[in-house]
Amino acid sequence: MNVRFRVELSQTERAELMALLSGGKRAVRQLKRAQILLAADAGASDAEIVRSVGVGGSTVYRTKRGFVLGNLEAALSEEPRPGANRKLTGKEEALLVATACSSPPAGRARWTLELLADAIVKLTPHERLSRETVRRRLAENDHKPWRKDMWCIPQIDADYVARMEDVLDLYAEAPDPKRPVVCFDESPIQLIDEVRQPIRPKPGQIKRYDCEYRGHGTANLFVFLDAHRSWRKVKVTERRAAEDFAACMRELVDIHYPQAERIRLVLDNLSTHSAGALYQAFPADEARRVLRRLEFHYVPKHASWLNMVEIEIGVLARQCLDRRIDSHARLVVETAAWEKGRNAERARVKWMFTTEKARAKMAWAYPKPTAKSGQVQRVKTSVPRY
């Protein structure tokens, strides 16, 4: 091929191309064009560039032409390519999205690409519409009707906001050894045994295990997490009844925080998480003794994400429980080892969400005050203390 365009890079352009090749992820075509320009600048012929870069002669020609007639950006960018016209007009695409967001036909749980294609054919002059056309148009509008998430949709009212800000203010306080903030929750786990021994991994082959397993009942994990220091505690029990909750509260007071004047406990709204649970488990004087040093702070309903210990339970599930554990005894040993290592690492949950951020990001959901001007409406916001 005759050389018609001569590439002469400036020092700045050469440095920019070198940075492009050594930098992060880029499109392969763009990297090839950069190599072509650098090779041409170094005096290589088109035939040599074709061999060394691994492209066709027309690619070399177009890249050099783009640089000489345009600039570096023009040489590196993709030239517009002719293509077929879009099959659906703007109105028809809007109709497709609206149909995908509507209820599916009778007898169907959800829309599929084929059902949507048939529906649009009936609603428009098109005689035929491929599922790929439907998929692309839905993807452009970031819509996938076959997907769904299960989610707890909270009712955000004044009680929700009051509980949320109460918990967030606790997290924002400076650490106080006399009044620690402890997050508490529980997590069930199924005890599972292997029917056949797994095959250990080896080079070139991943670990393999049989799909069949043998169940050995369930267990429960009570998890404590200090919001202001790197401490957590995992207690394994056979159940999570009121008596088990009461036992956890007494251990928290007498064993884990014997010097604390009052322990502020963040927990959810489970029926067993109450002062009454201690009276079910202990004599009245003992229940009162424990409760005098506890202060319950409940997260809003359907807002377990506000309980910091949920994050820690997620870490526990990924690092320790993501396997088959066959017995209560082994579960105790494994969780104790995880707890010891996690505490030794001084791992902490770095909580970033504050009351100020909540008011900024959730301003739309905050209830509007109903008190008339000139009048003060008193709202009870105190936390029950026992």
Side-chain angles (χ1 to χ4, degrees), residues 103-116:
S103 299
R108 291 300 191 108
R110 64 187 63 84
W111 284 105
T112 64
L113 296 179
E114 290 80 3
L115 286 174
L116 286 170

Side-chain angles (χ1 to χ4, degrees), residues 252-373:
L252 184 66
V253 166
D254 294 341
I255 298 176
H256 304 308
Y257 290 89
Q259 304 302 321
E261 296 175 357
R262 183 172 292 275
I263 303 169
R264 275 101 44 96
L265 200 68
V266 177
L267 64 172
D268 62 20
N269 296 271
L270 196 65
S271 59
T272 56
H273 296 174
S274 66
L278 280 81
Y279 281 90
Q280 287 182 241
F282 309 132
D285 57 342
E286 176 66 3
R288 176 55 51 190
R289 180 189 70 81
V290 175
L291 286 171
R292 283 197 183 101
R293 294 182 52 207
L294 293 175
E295 184 177 296
F296 293 164
H297 294 257
Y298 294 96
V299 299
K301 293 181 180 179
H302 299 304
S304 59
W305 59 272
L306 279 167
N307 196 339
M308 197 182 293
V309 75
E310 292 284 351
I311 300 174
E312 195 68 16
I313 290 176
V315 177
L316 170 63
R318 292 192 302 273
Q319 294 183 349
C320 178
L321 306 178
D322 189 19
R323 52 181 163 162
R324 292 175 178 176
I325 298 179
D326 59 352
S327 66
H328 187 279
R330 185 184 172 202
L331 182 61
V332 170
V333 172
E334 295 293 344
T335 54
W338 176 85
E339 172 196 309
K340 181 178 179 181
R342 186 96 168 140
N343 286 335
E345 294 170 1
R346 303 189 63 80
R348 288 280 307 277
V349 173
K350 188 176 182 181
W351 189 264
M352 305 293 290
F353 196 58
T354 63
T355 300
E356 291 72 22
K357 290 182 178 180
R359 292 175 180 176
K361 294 183 177 181
M362 301 175 61
W364 58 272
Y366 269 60
K368 306 303 179 193
T370 56
K372 296 180 180 179
S373 59

Side-chain angles (χ1 to χ4, degrees), residues 80-339:
R81 299 183 180 185
N85 294 328
R86 295 173 75 95
K87 191 156 189 178
L88 296 179
T89 65
K91 290 184 177 180
E92 290 170 344
E93 288 186 18
L95 178 61
L96 170 63
V97 173
T99 304
C101 292
S102 65
S103 299
R108 291 300 191 108
R110 64 187 63 84
W111 284 105
T112 64
L113 296 179
E114 290 80 3
L115 286 174
L116 286 170
D118 293 340
I120 297 303
V121 167
K122 294 177 182 178
L123 297 172
T124 62
H126 295 286
E127 295 182 357
R128 182 178 176 277
L129 199 63
S130 70
R131 67 189 306 277
E132 182 62 16
T133 297
V134 174
R135 186 194 67 78
R136 289 182 178 180
R137 298 296 83 81
L138 290 176
E140 288 177 358
N141 290 275
D142 194 24
H143 185 71
K144 298 178 180 180
W146 53 89
R147 295 188 61 186
K148 61 180 179 180
D149 282 335
M150 180 176 290
W151 195 255
C152 291
I153 304 175
Q155 180 66 39
I156 301 180
D157 52 14
D159 183 64
Y160 184 101
V161 171
R163 291 190 178 193
M164 177 180 68
E165 292 200 350
D166 175 54
V167 172
L168 294 179
D169 285 349
L170 282 180
Y171 293 162
E173 288 185 11
D176 183 356
K178 293 296 183 181
R179 305 180 74 240
V181 177
V182 178
C183 302
F184 171 84
D185 203 1
E186 63 276 316
S187 178
I189 181 173
Q190 186 177 7
L191 300 175
I192 297 175
D193 190 12
E194 301 285 0
V195 175
R196 298 170 186 84
Q197 194 65 23
I199 301 176
R200 293 180 176 275
K202 56 184 179 181
Q205 187 177 79
I206 62 174
K207 178 181 178 179
R208 291 178 291 174
Y209 64 96
D210 198 278
C211 59
E212 186 179 358
Y213 61 88
R214 183 183 298 110
H216 291 285
T218 60
N220 179 69
L221 303 177
F222 285 114
V223 184
F224 299 91
L225 176 72
D226 194 306
H228 293 134
R229 66 186 180 98
S230 54
W231 176 85
R232 72 273 301 137
K233 176 66 181 177
V234 181
K235 181 181 179 181
V236 182
T237 62
E238 294 182 355
R239 55 181 189 166
R240 56 173 185 175
E243 293 78 7
D244 301 296
F245 172 77
C248 285
M249 295 301 100
R250 183 159 65 176
E251 289 179 11
L252 184 66
V253 166
D254 294 341
I255 298 176
H256 304 308
Y257 290 89
Q259 304 302 321
E261 296 175 357
R262 183 172 292 275
I263 303 169
R264 275 101 44 96
L265 200 68
V266 177
L267 64 172
D268 62 20
N269 296 271
L270 196 65
S271 59
T272 56
H273 296 174
S274 66
L278 280 81
Y279 281 90
Q280 287 182 241
F282 309 132
D285 57 342
E286 176 66 3
R288 176 55 51 190
R289 180 189 70 81
V290 175
L291 286 171
R292 283 197 183 101
R293 294 182 52 207
L294 293 175
E295 184 177 296
F296 293 164
H297 294 257
Y298 294 96
V299 299
K301 293 181 180 179
H302 299 304
S304 59
W305 59 272
L306 279 167
N307 196 339
M308 197 182 293
V309 75
E310 292 284 351
I311 300 174
E312 195 68 16
I313 290 176
V315 177
L316 170 63
R318 292 192 302 273
Q319 294 183 349
C320 178
L321 306 178
D322 189 19
R323 52 181 163 162
R324 292 175 178 176
I325 298 179
D326 59 352
S327 66
H328 187 279
R330 185 184 172 202
L331 182 61
V332 170
V333 172
E334 295 293 344
T335 54
W338 176 85
E339 172 196 309

